[in-house]
Amino acid sequence: MEGVARALFSGPIAANDVDLAKAGVVLLALEVFISLEWKINDSLFVDIGSKVVFNWCANKSMRPWSLQSTFADIERKIKKVSSVVFWMAENKVNEMVSTLAIAGINRGDMFNAWW
């Protein structure tokens, strides 16, 4: 909300295209947030760098059939969080995402940092 990242994560994700990967990252972001039990009553703000994925999150009718189970998991996890806000990422955020993606390529496991 203040424009400051409170948690970062990076790691490998299996997907055949960028939008599928970003949908998987939305689910992963919720899982990471929920795992921080001491923050569960805070709001989660998810910057999405894809208009397609943003529309999938905002409009159930636009979701591809192949991702129904992924979005069912996302919906279940959203119920465990007090508030989730999706918005389109700005270029500065996308630069950070690219840096984390490059770092993730060189790691075989998940990297987490939160404060």
Side-chain angles (χ1 to χ4, degrees):
M1 187 161 89
E2 299 150 358
V4 177
R6 301 286 186 214
L8 303 172
F9 58 91
S10 142
I13 190 165
N16 293 330
D17 82 14
V18 174
D19 291 327
L20 296 178
K22 289 182 180 184
V25 170
V26 170
L27 178 59
L28 185 57
L30 285 160
E31 290 171 350
V32 168
F33 188 78
I34 290 167
S35 74
L36 303 172
E37 294 175 8
W38 53 275
K39 289 286 191 184
I40 201 69
N41 293 324
D42 288 347
S43 295
L44 172 62
F45 293 84
V46 181
D47 286 325
I48 301 175
S50 162
K51 288 181 182 179
V52 172
V53 178
F54 178 81
N55 286 329
W56 290 347
C57 290
N59 303 306
K60 291 181 181 183
S61 64
M62 298 184 78
R63 296 173 183 170
W65 180 252
S66 61
L67 292 178
Q68 292 302 313
S69 66
T70 299
F71 279 100
D73 288 344
I74 288 171
E75 297 287 335
R76 278 191 292 278
K77 300 221 183 287
I78 285 173
K79 291 178 182 175
K80 296 181 179 181
V81 179
S82 64
S83 173
V84 178
V85 177
F86 297 107
W87 70 42
M88 283 298 302
E90 296 180 20
N91 287 338
K92 288 182 182 180
V93 174
N94 284 331
E95 290 171 15
M96 186 185 309
V97 169
S98 296
T99 301
L100 289 170
I102 291 167
I105 289 170
N106 297 322
R107 297 182 63 88
D109 57 349
M110 180 64 68
F111 164 77
N112 296 308
W114 48 82
W115 46 97

